[in-house]
Amino acid sequence: MIDLNGIRVKNRFFIGSGPAKYGNGYNIYENPLNCILFKTHLIKPELFGGVITKTITIDPRKGNYRWYKPWKVLRKIQDGYINRFGWNNCGIKEFIDKFYPAIKLNNLIPSIGALKSPREFLIMIAMLNKINVLAVELNISCPHVKIIFRNDLKKLSQFFTQAVKLSNHSLIVKLGAMDSNLARKAKIAEDCGINAISAINTIPVNINGFGICGKSGRGIKEFALAAVSEIADSVDIPIIGGGGIDTESDCYDFFNSGAQAVFFSSMFLAKPLAPQKIVQNFIKK
Ligand SMILES: Cc1cc2nc3c(=O)[nH]c(=O)nc-3n(C[C@H](O)[C@H](O)[C@H](O)COP(=O)(O)O)c2cc1C
């Protein structure tokens, strides 16, 4: 077992927030291949050090996703993907009551996000205290959440302190490459007792005809590596690094830039069975 500042994992390879949905893969409409591979257990989430869920909010959200118009929320572009799912999710209550008992993973990390106030985060943290998960990821790097903190670092620090005090679980804070005060936010998280940082989220872009959305995949790797190095220079807590990982050697680029673990996200869309091959090869070595 590896100890990432209190988060005990069997290896350093994580499934990043998104492709595993609640640990069980996308539903059949969102991504049929991904769904089939998870349901038939060809993708084995239990092999990974951690499985981070899609971001869950206090209330259920439809987001922008409609099953009859999937191309409106996810598109393949030359060097990766753009998406604007808009946080479609079942809400924290249904996650805890319905999905969590069915999933039976001991490496599950719910990702949570708030839309109106930090209080929503705190309510969800208290609800998650009642279940047994590996850690909880606080997604503060989505445009919606940025509005809550409005770059108010004092408010952020107060929130982290309250979250750490309240949570029975280890906490991970997810940051983005374009976040203002990136290194300072990471340092504040560390000073408040947050256990680890994950970076990076999708990069906000505005692509003609698609509007503001998040870019992921190969084309963002350099931005992700730069962000991880910047964070690593300012904190000692572990960094779970990712963004554009497409091969095993990409993982080593992240380790060499200061990450103690890595996550795969868009790689599950491009070549869904490849991430676990990397984990299996690593275990054999
Ligand atoms: C389809 C899709 C859905 C995503 N959903 C979430 C999400 O709900 N919460 C979150 O924090 N990040 C989400 N992400 C961002 C990824 O977790 C990751 O941070 C980002 O895509 C960069 O990694 P990648 O280039 O390996 O995909 C999503 C990414 C994709 C492609």
Side-chain angles (χ1 to χ4, degrees):
M1 286 301 241
I2 299 160
D3 188 339
L4 297 174
N5 191 26
I7 307 169
R8 289 173 57 75
V9 291
K10 55 182 157 234
N11 60 58
R12 297 177 189 272
F13 300 93
F14 285 49
I15 302 185
S17 178
K21 195 120 192 196
Y22 309 121
N24 52 356
Y26 283 124
N27 69 39
I28 196 83
Y29 297 118
E30 281 173 324
N31 194 313
L33 178 62
N34 172 298
C35 169
I36 291 162
L37 293 172
F38 268 93
K39 299 287 176 286
T40 53
H41 303 285
L42 284 166
I43 294 179
K44 298 180 172 59
E46 65 279 8
L47 288 181
F48 292 80
V51 179
I52 305 170
T53 70
K54 198 176 161 51
T55 297
I56 300 161
T57 51
I58 195 154
D59 295 314
R61 272 175 65 81
K62 269 192 165 176
N64 302 318
Y65 175 74
R66 302 290 177 273
W67 66 267
Y68 48 90
K69 287 194 231 166
W71 61 90
K72 289 263 181 196
V73 289
L74 178 67
R75 251 181 232 174
K76 170 101 192 69
I77 55 170
Q78 201 192 0
D79 58 350
Y81 294 87
I82 46 173
N83 88 76
R84 51 188 291 276
F85 276 93
W87 283 11
N88 61 315
N89 78 95
C90 62
I92 191 77
K93 188 169 182 319
E94 190 170 345
F95 169 74
I96 292 175
D97 294 347
K98 183 176 147 193
F99 290 101
Y100 168 76
I103 285 159
K104 298 190 173 64
L105 282 173
N106 60 12
N107 55 353
L108 196 65
I109 303 178
S111 159
I112 55 173
L115 289 145
K116 293 188 193 116
S117 82
R119 220 179 130 248
E120 292 175 19
F121 270 117
L122 298 173
I123 294 171
M124 287 188 278
I125 289 171
M127 289 170 81
L128 289 168
N129 278 346
K130 299 193 185 99
I131 62 172
N132 189 14
V133 288
L134 181 60
V136 175
E137 182 171 275
L138 309 174
N139 177 359
I140 63 154
S141 42
C142 239
H144 317 294
V145 196
K146 281 181 192 160
I147 296 166
I148 292 182
F149 295 105
R150 290 186 201 282
N151 263 319
D152 183 339
L153 297 180
K154 202 168 156 210
K155 196 169 173 185
L156 196 64
S157 160
Q158 277 165 357
F159 161 63
F160 287 155
T161 308
Q162 287 172 321
V164 169
K165 203 168 154 203
L166 180 65
S167 185
N168 292 344
H169 300 296
S170 297
L171 294 178
I172 303 167
V173 165
K174 184 162 186 184
L175 297 173
M178 300 297 163
D179 288 2
S180 54
N181 298 308
L182 177 63
R184 277 188 72 195
K185 281 180 183 159
K187 182 74 184 124
I188 291 170
E190 176 176 66
D191 291 345
C192 293
I194 295 287
N195 301 71
I197 302 288
S198 65
I200 63 169
N201 214 316
T202 52
I203 294 189
V205 290
N206 186 346
I207 299 219
N208 284 348
F210 207 71
I212 294 183
C213 53
K215 180 170 172 177
S216 64
R218 278 185 299 116
I220 68 166
K221 192 182 105 179
E222 284 67 32
F223 298 94
L225 288 173
V228 167
S229 308
E230 191 182 337
I231 297 168
D233 283 344
S234 65
V235 299
D236 292 322
I237 52 176
I239 302 168
I240 306 161
I245 294 183
D246 196 46
T247 62
E248 184 170 356
S249 95
D250 290 337
C251 298
Y252 288 94
D253 290 340
F254 278 86
F255 293 135
N256 292 332
S257 298
Q260 278 75 23
V262 289
F263 67 77
F264 307 97
S265 178
S266 293
M267 196 176 171
F268 276 97
L269 303 176
K271 27 186 171 175
L273 293 171
Q276 75 190 28
K277 284 219 178 82
I278 295 178
V279 182
Q280 282 162 332
N281 285 343
F282 186 83
I283 295 168
K284 272 190 221 145
K285 276 182 200 164

